[in-house]
Amino acid sequence: VQLQASGGGLVRSGGSLRLSCTASGSVSSFNDMGWHRQVAGKQREEVAIITRGGNTRYADSAKGRFVISRDNAKNTVYLQMNNLKPEDTAVYYCNADYYYSGAPLSRSWGQGTQVTVSS
């Protein structure tokens, strides 16, 4: 399974960005999909997760500003980020969880996309 993320960039504080991530490979459907972020020297943290059925959960820092969605037909997950703050600056990684050929639940990660918010 491969994940291709896009949509990062440089934005001013208060601005918006939309991240996209498409999963492909020998899996027809995915369980949870989501976004995490990582700042150099710190642990990767969960930002938002969406189940196949559309249930969502957000980190406290993302609530009220970020919206996660997905298109199951396209195996794509999105993250709409509004009212961005400098502390949102990080590399954002998408993930997709799946079962394949009787193996336990697996997780694949995207390559990461840089989001930089200037003050």
Side-chain angles (χ1 to χ4, degrees), residues 63-111:
K63 289 178 182 177
R65 299 188 301 126
F66 296 1
V67 179
I68 189 170
S69 61
R70 65 189 283 174
D71 184 332
N72 290 332
K74 297 180 179 179
N75 289 331
T76 299
V77 61
Y78 307 95
L79 186 67
Q80 177 67 43
M81 303 186 293
N82 302 318
N83 190 22
L84 282 161
K85 304 175 181 180
E87 51 263 44
D88 294 318
T89 295
V91 178
Y92 284 70
Y93 297 89
C94 57
N95 75 275
D97 297 348
Y98 58 94
Y99 292 101
Y100 181 70
S101 192
L105 186 67
S106 300
R107 170 169 288 184
S108 286
W109 293 94
Q111 83 280 13

Side-chain angles (χ1 to χ4, degrees), residues 1 3 10 14 19 33 38 40-41 49 53-54 57 60 62 81-82 86 89 92-93 95 97 108 113-114 117:
V1 173
L3 277 68
L10 173 64
L19 306 183
M33 300 181 78
Q38 188 169 24
I49 299 294
R57 70 172 184 262
D60 287 344
M81 303 186 293
N82 302 318
T89 295
Y92 284 70
Y93 297 89
N95 75 275
D97 297 348
S108 286
T113 184
Q114 177 70 46
V117 185

Side-chain angles (χ1 to χ4, degrees), residues 8 12 16 31 50 57 64 73 107 115:
R12 288 186 176 181
S16 298
N31 293 69
I50 184 168
R57 70 172 184 262
R107 170 169 288 184
V115 171

